[in-house]
Amino acid sequence: MSRSHGVAGAFEAQAWAAPARTPLYYPDAVTLVPGADPAALVARIDTAVPGASVKDSFGDLDLTRAAFQVLFEAQWIHRPAGPPVAPSDLAWDVADNPDTLRAWALAWDDGGGDADLFRPELLDDPGTFVLAGRSTSGRVVAGAVASRSDQVVGISNVFARDGGPDAAWPAVLDAVHRLFPTLPAVGYEHGDDLATAVRHGFEPVGPLRIWLHGQGLSDTHPNACGG
């Protein structure tokens, strides 16, 4: 996502980080090992622009001295490869051109004004799959983003226009199973969305924490670090 916005992050031993502010909802740094050095991590990101965020992948950092506060606590989730627990009545496809991506983004955004977050450049990434669940009329009504690696498929941005994640997961997991039948699915969720993921076959496997730089935090802050 950052590359599609012209922001180049870099992997180092302890963390991935971007020197310029990342797109809305996406972290400026992600820890890769437990016990990362907080000062070294913060030095790699731009905290001068409001809203810098860190995905603390092991839930073990203390960034309060750098003026960060906890936005939310969550759980990593894992689901073995396999079909969805419940069948889906939605057809699905993978967005493969700017028009279908735009239709997906408008459905995901649901009038929030952030549909432009998903740029056509995202389609150039061979490991990213924008999954669209469609009604019988062909309208996008559910979806997610799948990020494939050699060992797992990461799932983020799960949504449904009606029924929330409970309505979305069957279609998303059906698409993931058909595209990557041997790969487990992973992601992270918190609150009610975590309980919903568990109902659909996921298991919580470890904590993570999202940190946000600055004041006035809330669960609806625009940089809530999806993906």
Side-chain angles (χ1 to χ4, degrees), residues 32-219:
L32 304 175
V33 296
D37 180 345
L41 180 68
V42 172
R44 295 179 60 198
I45 65 178
D46 180 4
T47 57
V49 178
S53 58
V54 172
K55 183 188 289 186
D56 177 4
S57 300
F58 301 88
D60 63 355
L61 296 183
D62 183 355
L63 299 179
T64 55
R65 292 185 179 180
F68 282 80
Q69 298 182 44
V70 175
L71 181 61
F72 62 82
E73 309 266 359
Q75 283 281 322
W76 290 108
I77 56 174
H78 175 277
R79 186 184 191 278
V85 173
S88 172
D89 58 359
L90 298 179
W92 64 267
D93 57 19
V94 177
D96 59 0
N97 62 67
D99 289 340
T100 56
L101 177 63
R102 182 65 177 175
W104 183 95
L106 289 170
W108 168 87
D109 183 56
D110 195 19
D114 295 328
D116 290 341
L117 177 66
F118 295 91
R119 297 181 174 179
E121 291 84 354
L122 189 64
L123 301 174
D124 296 334
D125 185 348
T128 298
F129 299 79
V130 178
L131 308 176
R134 297 183 182 274
S135 67
T136 54
S137 67
R139 186 169 66 98
V140 177
V141 295
V145 176
S147 302
R148 183 193 62 200
S149 72
D150 291 339
Q151 297 180 327
V152 298
V153 181
I155 308 296
S156 64
N157 296 283
V158 177
F159 76 92
R161 295 295 299 270
D162 298 306
D166 256 328
W169 276 121
V172 170
L173 291 173
D174 181 50
V176 168
H177 177 60
R178 292 175 184 273
L179 289 168
F180 319 109
T182 64
L183 294 181
V186 298
Y188 73 84
E189 298 289 356
H190 69 113
D192 292 342
D193 289 341
L194 174 60
T196 301
V198 169
R199 285 198 296 274
H200 290 274
F202 285 90
E203 178 184 2
V205 293
L208 77 153
R209 181 179 294 138
I210 302 299
W211 293 87
L212 190 68
H213 189 262
Q215 304 296 320
L217 306 184
S218 74
D219 287 342

